[in-house]
Amino acid sequence: MVAWSDVCAWRPDPLAEAGDGLRSLEVSLRGLADEAQVAGSRVVSLGAGVEAARAALHRCGACHDELVEEVGALARATAEACEGVVEVRRRVLDCQDFAEARPYLALGGDGSVSVSLVSAATAGGSGGLASGAAASGQAVAVGLGGAVVEAARAQAEAVELEAMVASALALATEVDEDYASALAGGQAAASGAAHASGGRGGRGGQEDQGGPTVGTGLGEPVPGEEAEMPGVDPWVYPGDSELEGSGEHGQRWPNPMDFLVHEAAKGAAVALSTTWPDAAMNLLHYLNNSGAPKHVNVDKMLEDTTSLGAEAEKVVTRTVGEAVEDARASGADGPVTYPFTTEWEGYYIHSWEDQNWFYATAGGWYATEGTVTVYPPTQDNPEWTYSYDYRVHVADRYNWDGQKSTQILGMRISDEQLQELHQAGIAQEYDLVGQSSVMSGSGP
């Protein structure tokens, strides 16, 4: 996780300048590609040398196209990182303003929060205590009561500030990891998605829409070794049912028990942010009550678990087999590339597999998109061969069914209690969406 002292020093300006430079570079590269295509179309001569030149130009064009896509992906990733830094900066300033407005709270340079109960009690009750002592014992009691109330309020506000710090650090870590992945050569984890006002937690609704889909299964083959990934059909939450969801948000007024459960859940999420980081971030997003879609780190989910990746790979393997059979049946005499997309299917991560992801999402939905290039036999190899690229999309509704409970830090918190926070309007269910980086394979 990114250190608080580092996060406080983050500024968006350098990233904004880098993003502008990358976008300019992308435009220039696309212009060069267009010029090369026009130049190639003007060659009308025939002969072995000319054909070799055409083939070389085609290979250069393919490499150039890949470079353009990589620069474009990096430009988008840089723009997203810049937006993420802006949101992190806003949250850091919110934390600092929150602490400065409450003299009994101290925000340390490492992000730690401390509270002076004496100062809190003095702020709320010392005046009443002093004047009451001079007047009567009854006034003293009233002053003490006020001091106790103010001390309890200070403790609650300290927990709230800790949650704000944890939220800022979690977002900073996510921004940092996503951008590091893009710089390492992977595609941006959520290219093309726009930040909503909630920053990183507000992303996702458009993230899985991708481009125009070809329907599920194999698309029409494209001659050659390249084709665009088709995207997946957008996942849409079907709505609450008898066994899922909490109904209308804010359907009743909150009561004192709701606020107590809210603070207990927030404290538990902060305490477990290093043990179960994704589960903690998801719970804090629920308690923050925005209802905005939230990005899920699919690469990390696939790395930490085994079942989801195995299921997705099984679906891709089946699709690859269908592509090879279709190419063989069509009598293809050169490489052909099939775009493909699959239907949304359910997944479930058990607690014994990974507790972080079990509490973060447990069950949800996944779909895949990709391309399969099939190569016919050659003189050197009598077998049909193939290569493929794909990515995994994940979606889930972060909600409660009211039938389970969890022991956290000695306190049993039930789904029903958390569900009631949504109904009381002080927390809100939302969509989780995300997509993995591109994964590749070949065979046989």
Side-chain angles (χ1 to χ4, degrees), residues 69-413:
E69 291 303 318
E70 290 175 2
V71 171
L74 187 56
R76 292 189 293 272
T78 302
E80 285 195 6
C82 183
E83 292 178 11
V85 169
V86 169
E87 175 60 20
V88 169
R89 182 66 180 162
R90 185 189 67 79
R91 296 190 188 187
V92 168
L93 293 176
D94 285 347
C95 292
Q96 293 172 344
D97 291 344
F98 189 92
E100 289 176 2
R102 295 159 178 81
Y104 44 84
L105 295 182
L107 179 59
D110 59 353
S112 60
V113 177
S114 58
V115 57
S116 172
L117 297 181
V118 173
S119 298
T122 301
S126 61
L129 178 58
S131 59
S136 69
Q138 183 178 3
V140 171
V142 172
L144 284 172
V148 170
V149 169
E150 291 302 323
R153 180 181 301 170
Q155 288 281 27
E157 290 178 338
V159 171
E160 184 176 356
L161 180 56
E162 287 174 346
M164 293 169 64
V165 171
S167 176
L169 287 174
L171 173 58
T173 299
E174 188 177 348
V175 171
D176 185 64
E177 290 177 350
D178 284 354
Y179 195 46
S181 176
L183 292 176
Q187 294 195 9
S191 58
H195 286 279
S197 61
R200 217 52 178 196
R203 291 173 41 193
Q206 299 176 358
E207 182 173 340
D208 282 299
Q209 293 181 13
T213 65
V214 296
T216 56
L218 291 175
E220 290 296 321
V222 177
E225 300 178 78
E226 293 186 13
E228 293 292 330
M229 287 194 185
V232 298
D233 290 324
W235 179 84
V236 178
Y237 177 57
D240 291 349
S241 64
E242 183 179 352
L243 298 178
E244 183 176 12
S246 306
E248 182 183 356
H249 177 252
Q251 59 192 260
R252 64 171 178 81
W253 290 102
N255 57 48
M257 180 56 71
D258 293 323
F259 287 111
L260 181 60
V261 171
H262 189 282
E263 291 305 312
K266 183 181 291 185
V270 171
L272 294 170
S273 59
T274 56
T275 306
W276 299 336
D278 298 281
M281 284 191 292
N282 290 355
L283 178 55
L284 285 172
H285 189 69
Y286 172 70
L287 297 172
N288 284 343
N289 199 27
S290 73
K294 184 180 183 303
H295 171 69
V296 57
N297 190 334
V298 181
D299 286 333
K300 187 171 184 293
M301 181 186 293
L302 294 172
E303 180 182 348
D304 294 344
T305 64
T306 56
S307 60
L308 176 58
E311 290 183 29
E313 190 171 353
K314 191 182 303 181
V315 171
V316 171
T317 300
R318 183 174 66 243
T319 305
V320 168
E322 294 171 359
V324 173
E325 287 303 314
D326 187 85
R328 191 197 305 268
S330 70
D333 57 2
V336 289
T337 300
Y338 294 82
F340 72 86
T341 183
T342 67
E343 295 180 353
W344 289 97
E345 298 189 34
Y347 71 84
Y348 192 84
I349 298 173
H350 296 274
S351 60
W352 49 261
E353 186 178 1
D354 188 276
Q355 288 194 330
N356 172 47
W357 289 109
F358 170 73
Y359 289 118
T361 172
W365 300 87
Y366 79 95
T368 62
E369 62 161 325
T371 59
V372 184
T373 301
V374 182
Y375 302 88
T378 64
Q379 291 181 346
D380 298 329
N381 186 358
E383 300 289 333
W384 287 78
T385 58
Y386 58 83
S387 63
Y388 59 88
D389 298 318
Y390 74 98
R391 50 183 166 230
V392 179
H393 295 250
V394 167
D396 184 27
R397 181 69 173 176
Y398 191 89
N399 57 16
W400 310 94
D401 59 22
Q403 298 176 356
K404 299 187 296 293
S405 63
T406 304
Q407 189 79 16
I408 300 178
L409 299 179
M411 175 180 293
R412 182 157 293 279
I413 299 178

